[in-house]
Amino acid sequence: MQPFRGGGGARHNARAMAQQAIELILLRQWASYLTIPVMLVDREGVLLFYNEAAEKVLGQRFEDVDDLRAESLAELFQLRHEDGRRLTPEEHPLGVALHERRPSHLRMRLRALDGSWRLIESTAMPVEAQGTRHLGAFAMFWEVPGP
Amino acid sequence: MRVTLWGTRGSIPSAGPETVRYGGNTACVEVRAGDGSLLVLDAGSGIRRLGTALAGQGRRIDLLLSHLHMDHVQGLGFFAPFFERGAEVHLWGPSSTDQRMRERLSRYLSPPLFPVRIRDLPCALSIHGLTEEPFDLGPFRVTAGLICHPGGTLGYRIEEGGRVLAYLPDHEPALGVKAFPGEPEWTSGYDLARGADVLIHDAQYTDAEYPEHEGWGHSATSHTLAMASLCGVGRLVTFHHDPSHGDDALDAMHAEACGAELPFTVVPGCEGLSFDV
């Protein structure tokens, strides 16, 4: 299994000196305390953060990830509907929240980076801030216990 | 820029024999450009004496509010230029999604809390909600940015004549950060304070007091020092002193802050202090 990488470390290099919006900073800090898996992307869909609980489901530490876009999630994790049909990038909740700027929820299957298949439920919300600023989206997801 | 501190206390005015050196008035800072243009930062109780000093000057006044907590607006009703016919005052502050600045301020500046309504003030008053886009006020370039403090709070970066003043009077950048300071990208207020010649920053609590006040929106001394260090500022002015801290306690906090070797100067924010940026 390949580690998930994309931009050769550009996430850290390009942004090292620019501060994120306070709403994203607080979301990230809040998520870092939760035991519910949380993933946060910016308005361009670039992965900003996922927490330790998400690391367990996704099978890779966040610190080991370079650039990743929301559009790549469906392919990377081989996202599928519960009945096995492939999920397009436009169908998964984070993509809907990001591009349609509305909440979205779905039960789906993913192949974690450790190779195991997981059934999860995911709820995603757009991050809408004062001044009609669309800052990105975040998804909370959890593994559905098997039968 | 010439900066004068008219009020450096946090939370509530705290006049008394134990606060005569650091002062008891709440947040108010005067900023003068080389050509005499004036910015006023916040309208705590310190603005009353500033207003008296400004009376009759006839110059446009731009008053920038960081937020609308009482210790930052309670002096508005006692600001002499508000009551001068012909005075031009522009009031700037954080926008809200559901109420205009005027409506929010009217909650205080109207009966029964205050006898005079905003609409009855004789000065030429304009009220503006701010976005995070930089804008120019005379010779000043002003950048406002939302920072970590309850209730929608702005910090300011003010540039004039190649010098930079950063004003983050109520700020808890360490909230929820497991090892502060972290990366600049994930530090509240970093863009505002980065490389500032002078940073005026919240220093309300001792490190021992902070755990009981986590989430209240203010900083411990070590957080303030770490913030200044991360941002690479030239001078740090401590601000928003806790009302329970008398002069001796603040002296002790300052001495402790200066005990370590720091890449910047620490200046205790005393009411009446005036300095060039």
Side-chain angles (χ1 to χ4, degrees):
Chain A
M1 178 62 66
Q2 292 290 312
F4 75 97
R5 296 192 182 280
R11 177 166 57 87
H12 292 295
N13 295 335
R15 298 177 183 201
M17 296 305 288
Q19 181 205 313
Q20 297 289 350
I22 186 66
E23 295 86 350
L24 296 178
I25 291 175
L26 293 174
L27 251 171
R28 179 179 184 266
Q29 287 167 209
W30 173 63
S32 72
Y33 283 85
L34 296 182
T35 55
I36 303 167
V38 179
M39 177 180 283
L40 176 64
V41 298
D42 70 12
R43 57 187 295 175
E44 272 81 42
V46 175
L47 176 70
L48 292 176
F49 178 68
Y50 59 74
N51 63 4
E52 287 181 13
E55 290 175 350
K56 288 180 187 167
V57 176
L58 300 177
Q60 187 161 342
R61 293 182 68 237
F62 173 70
E63 300 306 326
D64 297 333
V65 176
D66 279 342
D67 277 3
L68 178 70
R69 301 185 68 85
E71 288 80 0
S72 310
L73 291 173
E75 183 181 347
L76 181 69
F77 293 106
Q78 301 184 38
L79 297 180
R80 297 174 188 275
H81 289 277
E82 195 174 3
D83 61 10
R85 286 178 295 120
R86 293 293 291 243
L87 202 64
T88 66
E90 294 75 29
E91 287 177 318
H92 72 75
L94 202 53
V96 172
L98 191 64
H99 297 299
E100 299 183 29
R101 299 172 67 168
R102 64 176 176 84
S104 179
H105 177 89
L106 195 68
R107 179 179 283 214
M108 56 194 177
R109 297 185 188 281
L110 65 79
R111 190 166 190 243
L113 294 171
D114 60 9
S116 62
W117 281 95
R118 315 273 175 94
L119 178 63
I120 66 165
E121 293 212 32
S122 176
T123 297
M125 302 282 289
V127 182
E128 303 290 334
Q130 291 187 6
T132 63
R133 291 175 302 139
H134 175 53
L135 300 177
F138 71 99
M140 306 183 83
F141 52 98
W142 54 96
E143 195 166 1
V144 178
Chain B
M1 276 181 281
R2 182 87 184 156
V3 173
T4 304
L5 308 178
W6 292 89
T8 63
R9 188 63 56 172
S11 308
I12 190 168
S14 310
E18 70 283 5
T19 60
V20 291
R21 284 187 289 113
Y22 284 81
N25 280 305
T26 58
C28 181
V29 175
E30 174 188 2
V31 184
R32 288 275 185 184
D35 68 356
S37 297
L38 171 65
L39 294 182
V40 180
L41 306 176
D42 277 328
S45 63
I47 203 172
R48 190 195 63 80
R49 290 186 65 234
L50 170 61
T52 303
L54 295 175
Q57 289 194 11
R59 187 182 280 275
R60 168 180 169 143
I61 299 169
D62 286 283
L63 171 51
L64 278 59
L65 300 176
S66 61
H67 61 309
L68 305 189
H69 286 167
M70 277 303 288
D71 53 329
H72 294 255
V73 300
Q74 64 199 141
L76 280 174
F78 303 90
F79 186 45
F82 273 2
F83 298 91
E84 285 179 23
R85 194 167 299 282
E88 181 184 358
V89 183
H90 292 260
L91 191 52
W92 307 80
S95 299
S96 159
T97 48
D98 57 350
Q99 279 191 310
R100 293 184 304 150
M101 267 281 290
R102 175 178 288 271
E103 292 163 348
R104 299 167 79 201
L105 286 170
S106 291
R107 289 184 177 182
Y108 162 44
L109 292 172
S110 64
L113 293 180
F114 194 73
V116 182
R117 292 179 172 82
I118 289 178
R119 66 168 180 260
D120 296 327
L121 294 171
C123 72
L125 177 64
S126 302
I127 301 179
H128 315 269
L130 280 173
T131 67
E132 294 191 300
E133 290 300 311
F135 63 106
D136 293 323
L137 289 175
F140 299 106
R141 165 133 285 217
V142 177
T143 305
L146 289 165
I147 56 175
C148 185
H149 184 73
T153 298
L154 295 172
Y156 291 103
R157 181 182 180 90
I158 297 162
E159 298 168 69
E160 192 266 340
R163 308 293 285 176
V164 178
L165 169 70
Y167 177 71
L168 289 77
D170 293 47
H171 190 210
E172 189 179 9
L175 178 64
V177 182
K178 288 168 181 168
F180 185 78
E183 297 170 77
E185 180 184 7
W186 293 102
T187 301
S188 167
Y190 175 78
D191 277 353
L192 294 174
R194 176 177 48 189
D197 296 290
V198 173
L199 167 64
I200 299 175
H201 195 278
D202 186 320
Q204 179 143 352
Y205 301 123
T206 65
D207 285 8
E209 290 168 332
Y210 178 75
E212 288 188 11
H213 301 88
E214 190 172 1
W216 289 30
H218 301 291
S219 289
T221 306
S222 65
H223 301 151
T224 308
L225 297 175
M227 181 76 189
S229 183
L230 179 74
C231 296
V233 307
R235 209 179 329 163
L236 167 69
V237 178
T238 58
F239 202 77
H240 208 275
H241 307 304
D242 191 88
S244 71
H245 291 162
D247 293 332
D248 293 344
L250 289 169
D251 281 346
M253 287 172 71
H254 178 66
E256 188 176 346
C258 295
E261 193 168 317
L262 299 168
F264 51 84
T265 309
V266 184
V267 178
C270 293
E271 186 175 321
L273 180 68
S274 194
F275 54 86
D276 290 319
V277 175

